Amino acid sequence: MLTRFTQAQLRPDSVAILDAQGAHTYESLWNKSSQVAQQLLGGRSDLGQECIAFMVSPGMNYVATLWGIWKAGGIAVPLCLSYPLPSLAYVIEDTQASALVLEPTFLDLLQDYALEKGIPHHLAEALQVGPVVATLPDIALDRGALILYTSGTTSLPKGVLSTHANLEAQISTLIAAWHWNSSDHTLCLLPLHHVHGLVNVVSCALSAGATLQFLHPFQADTVFSIFLEGKVNVFMAVPTIYFKLIAEFDSYSESKKEALRSCMKAFRLMVSGSAALPVSVMEKWKQVSGHTLLERYGMTEIGMAISNPYQGDRRAGYIGTPLPGVKVRLVDEENQEVASGLSGEIQIQGPGVFAKYWGKVEATAKAFTESGWFKTGDIAVVEEGYFRILGRDSIDIIKSGGYKISALEIEEVLRSHELVKDCAVVGIPNEEWGELVAAVLVPETELDLTELKHWLKERLPNYKSPKIYQILSDLPRNAMGKVVKNELKSIFSSTT
Ligand code: MLC
Ligand code: AMP
């Protein structure tokens, strides 16, 4: 049995999940996920690594579906809840999902599509009925477990396939490093189609036998109301969320601030990751909560790799040291390790590193060196033993609110608008969001931006849509004809 499931067997009566419907024990999670597995199998003995895509809101039904897919021998493909149909269709078709599991809310969006494509679709709730009589398959650790989509230096997102062994390694490393245990109670408000929410919060909490409370969607005032109930003791979020929480906290009366401060002081751990934590946010959060945030570094392809210590010096502006079991090196452009004190690309090896990009042999080969190191594309330096991120090797990757966004993907969509002759997308530094997506448009004729934004909503999720625009008659290009994006960034810097 997967180690992830051990605690569910050992502590049937403990509360595993708290969601909008109430409290659910580990026993009920175990039973519901077995029911999902049985229904997905439909009489077969093993799904044999078929991909099952699912669109279910954070909560008991989400986890029962995820575990059910794993128990039936399938590969889980969580869909982003804010994707419009074209983005969902891309993921479903790229994985060749054999079935869809939907929450009723998402039926309107996907039902016609699923019928047209002949993809069987189930309602998450309907899968959780009846006694379990089927024998569920044994799952070997080297089988595929999960595909998460990540944007990169190509215009189309890539599916990152992790095996069960990869996930077990990612989870066990964090449980040990951050002392997860069954007395923990964490609040999850992150999206569950990414490693931060899915692995670091949901999977670590449940593998440790802790209680996992869901809040969806994120709302700063509700987060604090939940904190005031005095149960949460572990909290993880992206820097933008800490920024928003600080703004909310500042709006409170002195007495409410004091009540919150004393409640947050009792937390065991507060973590930030997925994007650089501004030193100013770290310092303000310390004033708000009394906690020095533990900043760590990771990536969809590798799980978590580098972390500030649980006990010891957590340095502002630094991501820490390699986690146990993770090999990290810094290299130059020829993949040679750099001398001490020099900057280089972070490369990673270890049992948490993903198996492959789904259906992309060439992209997978390009992502690794000949000696098997995964190339992150992040540039760092080591100072007094701690890693500090300096930037990325590609200007086309934007991190906004913790989401990785490909400038090329957005440009491709914009260019398909009949009035857009040319365009370029860049990330503009912003304290709240890390970076803001900004687009420069060269229109064919006069272009109505309100109409364009409306048009984009049907083609891109909101978080990928540009937040600021500039209209130019031409894009600045170098002698090779390549758009000089740094020059475009400075146009925006003077306006933001
Ligand atoms: C929302 N908006 C964003 C955005 N999120 N814009 C840019 N970037 C984002 N990330 C926009 C919406 O489209 C909307 O625009 C406006 O902001 C308000 O939307 P909202 O839905 O009210 O925002 P909010 O709910 O406050 O969401 C903010 C957020 C969310 C920070 C909670 O972005 C979020 O959950 N981020 C976490 C992403 C994450 O988990 N990344 C981990 C990747 S894994 P408009 O125009 O409609 O008003 C990884 C590896 C690792 O990175 O190391 O962990
Ligand atoms: P994703 O592809 O969405 O998994 O995002 C991974 C990327 O997020 C990494 O390659 C980094 O660029 C960035 N990232 C994650 N954690 C941090 C951090 N603590 N500081 C800076 N960047 C980070």
Side-chain angles (χ1 to χ4, degrees):
M1 190 176 59
L2 300 170
T3 319
R4 240 162 299 154
F5 297 154
T6 310
Q7 288 296 327
Q9 298 275 275
L10 292 177
R11 37 194 334 105
D13 299 329
S14 303
V15 174
I17 290 171
L18 279 170
D19 63 12
Q21 275 64 52
H24 311 269
T25 61
Y26 273 97
E27 182 174 42
S28 130
L29 172 59
W30 185 254
N31 291 340
K32 279 179 189 287
S33 56
S34 296
Q35 288 168 333
V36 171
Q38 172 172 271
Q39 300 284 333
L40 288 174
L41 283 166
R44 290 186 288 165
S45 58
D46 190 333
L47 287 182
Q49 302 186 68
E50 275 176 20
C51 291
I52 310 289
F54 63 110
M55 196 163 183
V56 182
S57 296
M60 175 66 164
N61 283 337
Y62 177 98
V63 183
T65 304
L66 174 73
W67 282 25
I69 295 168
W70 285 339
K71 283 182 175 182
I75 297 177
V77 184
L79 297 171
C80 172
L81 304 184
S82 59
Y83 271 10
L85 185 57
S87 311
L88 294 170
Y90 171 75
V91 171
I92 294 166
E93 282 160 33
D94 194 54
T95 54
Q96 293 178 299
S98 65
L100 285 174
V101 180
L102 304 173
E103 187 175 276
T105 343
F106 303 116
L107 254 188
D108 277 355
L109 183 61
L110 276 169
Q111 183 166 242
D112 287 350
Y113 166 82
L115 285 172
E116 187 195 319
K117 299 280 173 188
I119 306 170
H121 51 288
H122 312 271
L123 288 185
E125 290 79 348
L127 294 176
Q128 299 170 29
V129 284
V132 177
V133 289
T135 308
L136 301 179
D138 273 337
I139 309 300
L141 284 178
D142 62 356
R143 288 171 50 147
L146 182 69
I147 299 181
L148 299 178
Y149 274 77
T150 186
S151 294
T153 44
T154 48
S155 61
L156 291 172
K158 298 190 286 278
V160 174
L161 175 74
S162 299
T163 62
H164 285 288
N166 296 148
L167 292 184
E168 301 274 298
Q170 294 179 9
I171 296 164
S172 59
T173 299
L174 292 188
I175 289 186
W178 298 344
H179 298 208
W180 276 100
N181 63 78
S182 59
S183 318
D184 285 335
H185 184 127
T186 192
L187 178 66
C188 180
L189 36 80
L190 292 165
L192 297 185
H193 62 293
H194 280 305
V195 71
H196 196 164
L198 181 49
V199 174
N200 297 21
V201 183
V202 170
S203 299
C204 283
L206 296 175
S207 300
T211 297
L212 171 64
Q213 183 163 1
F214 284 104
L215 170 65
H216 174 77
F218 163 71
Q219 266 176 326
D221 56 344
T222 319
V223 172
F224 283 131
S225 306
I226 293 173
F227 283 1
L228 280 171
E229 288 166 11
K231 292 194 215 118
V232 175
N233 72 333
V234 174
F235 184 66
M236 300 185 186
V238 299
T240 303
I241 290 181
Y242 285 108
F243 186 98
K244 286 172 181 281
L245 289 175
I246 291 166
E248 175 70 17
F249 184 88
D250 284 345
S251 71
Y252 291 161
S253 67
E254 273 315 308
S255 60
K256 187 161 177 184
K257 282 182 180 166
E258 214 29 64
L260 267 168
R261 260 194 210 107
S262 72
C263 153
M264 286 193 279
K265 243 184 219 144
F267 279 37
R268 184 177 72 71
L269 176 65
M270 289 179 163
V271 178
S272 171
S274 300
L277 175 66
V279 174
S280 58
V281 174
M282 185 167 180
E283 284 168 355
K284 279 188 208 147
W285 188 254
K286 178 138 197 194
Q287 289 162 16
V288 163
S289 69
H291 279 263
T292 303
L293 286 170
L294 183 157
E295 180 171 13
R296 77 349 171 242
Y297 160 91
M299 198 170 176
T300 307
E301 288 90 334
I302 58 175
M304 298 304 110
I306 303 175
S307 170
N308 272 280
Y310 182 73
Q311 278 147 340
D313 186 18
R314 295 179 191 166
R315 288 197 206 149
Y318 289 82
I319 53 173
T321 58
L323 281 160
V326 182
K327 288 209 271 176
V328 183
R329 67 176 195 177
L330 294 183
V331 301
D332 61 21
E333 275 157 15
E334 272 75 50
N335 283 325
Q336 296 303 308
E337 269 192 72
V338 298
S340 161
L342 294 185
S343 63
E345 183 197 33
I346 302 178
Q347 295 192 342
I348 305 285
Q349 270 188 348
V353 176
F354 76 123
K356 61 178 181 181
Y357 291 118
W358 187 254
K360 293 189 167 51
V361 178
E362 218 175 288
T364 307
K366 261 178 74 180
F368 289 88
T369 67
E370 277 173 12
S371 47
W373 289 85
F374 174 68
K375 306 186 224 169
T376 64
D378 290 308
I379 311 298
V381 64
V382 178
E383 291 164 351
E384 293 171 31
Y386 278 49
F387 283 72
R388 183 162 68 88
I389 299 271
L390 300 174
R392 280 182 297 266
D393 67 359
S394 165
I395 199 165
D396 288 321
I397 292 177
I398 300 169
K399 262 267 160 169
S400 185
Y403 281 116
K404 194 190 231 182
I405 298 168
S406 163
L408 303 179
E409 182 185 351
I410 301 165
E411 287 165 7
E412 194 138 306
V413 174
L414 283 170
R415 269 194 212 104
S416 69
H417 190 281
E418 56 182 3
L419 295 181
V420 175
K421 190 158 134 203
D422 205 354
C423 66
V425 168
V426 289
I428 303 300
N430 177 275
E431 204 193 358
E432 179 171 5
W433 294 96
E435 287 178 294
L436 279 182
V437 179
V440 180
L441 303 175
V442 179
E444 291 282 0
T445 57
E446 207 168 312
L447 182 63
D448 178 348
L449 277 184
T450 314
E451 186 279 327
L452 178 81
K453 286 179 194 168
H454 188 71
W455 178 89
L456 269 181
K457 267 192 201 307
E458 284 166 22
R459 290 160 178 85
L460 278 177
N462 256 356
Y463 72 83
K464 290 187 183 176
S465 296
K467 295 286 171 288
I468 33 178
Y469 289 88
Q470 286 273 349
I471 305 281
L472 292 184
S473 55
D474 219 343
L475 297 175
R477 291 180 189 273
N478 62 18
M480 315 287 289
K482 210 170 168 264
V483 175
V484 193
K485 290 203 169 178
N486 274 327
E487 237 173 76
L488 292 176
K489 278 190 174 212
S490 55
I491 303 181
F492 284 102
S493 316
S494 57
T495 60
T496 51

